[in-house]
Amino acid sequence: MTSKLPSTSRSLPIALIRAREGVMAPIREMLSETGITEQQWRVLRVLSEYGALDTTTLADRSSLLFPSLTRIASTMRDKGLITQTRDQADRRRQIIDITEAGQKIITERAAQSAQIVADFRITLGDENYETLLDLLAKLDPGSRD
Amino acid sequence: MTSKLPSTSRSLPIALIRAREGVMAPIREMLSETGITEQQWRVLRVLSEYGALDTTTLADRSSLLFPSLTRIASTMRDKGLITQTRDQADRRRQIIDITEAGQKIITERAAQSAQIVADFRITLGDENYETLLDLLAKLDPGSRD
DNA sequence: TGGCAATTATTAACATGACAAGGAAAGCCG
DNA sequence: CGGCTTTCCTTGTCATGTTAATAATTGCCA
């Protein structure tokens, strides 16, 4: 049994990294004007979409590790982008919500962000774009069939 | 113009993150037994495939940023996995090569690594697997048509 | 030849990823 | 009630991602 490794040029992990880099480049460029990071943008996006969330749910939907979210939330609170409140019924839990300042960033960049997404959809074509999302979902253990 | 943002559940950047996490989970599990990181594994893979490389080429093929590679190479040299030599013709340049100890890690894990890749290919199906790699390549600015 | 721009690599600074350990609160159960 | 486990969150540590600044060479060109 030879068990050869695939060439790195056709390696799935590396292909995922490079694709992500290609997709994030214009988004990072946009975010550089706002002073927030890509992860902070994700947190705002999720809060804007779902409303106030407990930390566990927020971490899951933002695809952030829990310890990372603890630190990210701390800096975002200092920036006035989110609020953190203790759940009075269960004081272990914490509820995070977006502030007006946070929502303002999302709103102001919505058009620009949507345009970036639209460009990628055009690059791949509508059908390929949906196919790609479906295939990626199959690699995600959290949503595998 | 409304310019709505897509739901985060169908967001391409987030889908890429989650897919990558799904793919890397078993690989990280394998690497935890070797004491090297995912990035160090990529460096060894590239060196094993292409032979000695200058730092710029190595960074490009490993999909690592230059400052990251500087640190990673430093730790890998200390671990005895690679060698660093100055190019005598152009002393700004540096040549990195894999050592026997480094090659040994690749060789010992080749079968296990190939099995992990094979499992994902089965999960998606051969055709889907190739389609996915092709679509991901189209998002990579370094290989876009 | 001498100075300036370009290339290559390193370092710095901050934020995050990943994993382990610790701490606080709640729930269970004798 | 009191101890035990579980859950939720925080902190610590090391490695990496990202951007900017700096250093060391080299190449160009007046």
Side-chain angles (χ1 to χ4, degrees):
Chain A
M1 177 171 177
T2 45
S3 62
K4 275 188 304 186
L5 287 168
S7 165
T8 49
S9 61
R10 291 294 279 182
S11 157
L12 183 54
I14 291 183
L16 287 168
I17 293 174
R18 292 186 175 157
R20 185 171 145 58
E21 184 186 334
V23 169
M24 288 313 302
I27 296 178
R28 262 202 297 273
E29 186 179 0
M30 173 188 81
L31 291 179
S32 70
E33 304 168 3
T34 70
I36 68 173
T37 68
E38 171 200 332
Q39 289 80 2
Q40 292 169 8
W41 170 257
R42 280 216 303 278
V43 169
L44 291 181
R45 283 281 305 278
V46 170
L47 290 175
S48 178
E49 180 175 353
Y50 294 99
L53 293 175
D54 65 278
T55 309
T56 301
T57 306
L58 178 56
D60 184 57
R61 295 195 176 157
S62 310
S63 287
L64 290 170
L65 293 178
F66 219 95
S68 295
L69 182 55
T70 293
R71 287 182 280 237
I72 291 170
S74 170
T75 63
M76 291 180 78
R77 173 174 39 75
D78 293 346
K79 285 184 178 180
L81 303 178
I82 61 165
T83 59
Q84 294 174 298
T85 52
R86 286 279 161 194
D87 183 329
Q88 287 308 311
D90 182 344
R91 293 196 306 179
R92 291 171 305 182
R93 289 173 172 278
Q94 186 181 132
I95 305 298
I96 296 183
D97 201 356
I98 192 170
T99 64
E100 284 189 16
Q103 182 59 52
K104 188 162 178 282
I105 292 179
I106 295 288
T107 305
E108 285 179 346
R109 301 288 166 173
Q112 192 176 356
S113 175
Q115 184 60 52
I116 293 172
V117 173
D119 288 345
F120 280 113
R121 186 181 279 275
I122 290 172
T123 298
L124 294 183
D126 277 347
E127 191 178 343
N128 281 339
Y129 191 89
E130 297 299 328
T131 300
L132 176 57
L133 284 177
D134 291 340
L135 291 176
L136 290 174
K138 289 188 179 177
L139 296 175
D140 174 14
S143 77
R144 198 170 292 164
D145 303 342
Chain B
M1 176 171 178
T2 45
S3 63
K4 274 188 306 185
L5 288 170
S7 166
T8 48
S9 60
R10 290 294 279 181
S11 157
L12 184 53
I14 291 183
L16 287 168
I17 292 174
R18 292 186 174 157
R20 184 170 147 57
E21 186 185 333
V23 170
M24 287 314 301
I27 296 179
R28 263 201 298 273
E29 186 179 2
M30 172 188 80
L31 291 179
S32 69
E33 305 168 3
T34 70
I36 69 174
T37 68
E38 171 198 333
Q39 289 80 1
Q40 293 171 6
W41 169 257
R42 281 216 301 278
V43 169
L44 291 181
R45 282 281 306 277
V46 171
L47 291 175
S48 177
E49 179 174 355
Y50 294 99
L53 292 175
D54 66 276
T55 310
T56 301
T57 306
L58 177 57
D60 184 55
R61 295 195 177 155
S62 311
S63 287
L64 290 171
L65 293 179
F66 220 94
S68 295
L69 183 54
T70 293
R71 286 180 298 222
I72 292 170
S74 170
T75 64
M76 292 180 78
R77 174 173 40 75
D78 294 345
K79 286 184 179 179
L81 302 177
I82 62 165
T83 59
Q84 293 175 299
T85 53
R86 285 280 160 192
D87 183 329
Q88 286 308 312
D90 183 343
R91 294 196 305 182
R92 290 170 304 185
R93 289 172 171 279
Q94 185 181 134
I95 306 297
I96 296 184
D97 201 357
I98 192 171
T99 64
E100 284 189 16
Q103 183 59 53
K104 188 162 178 283
I105 292 179
I106 295 289
T107 305
E108 286 179 347
R109 301 288 166 174
Q112 192 175 356
S113 175
Q115 184 59 52
I116 292 172
V117 173
D119 287 345
F120 279 114
R121 184 181 280 274
I122 290 172
T123 298
L124 293 183
D126 278 347
E127 191 178 343
N128 281 339
Y129 192 89
E130 297 299 329
T131 299
L132 176 58
L133 284 177
D134 291 340
L135 290 177
L136 290 174
K138 289 188 180 177
L139 295 176
D140 174 14
S143 76
R144 198 171 294 164
D145 304 341

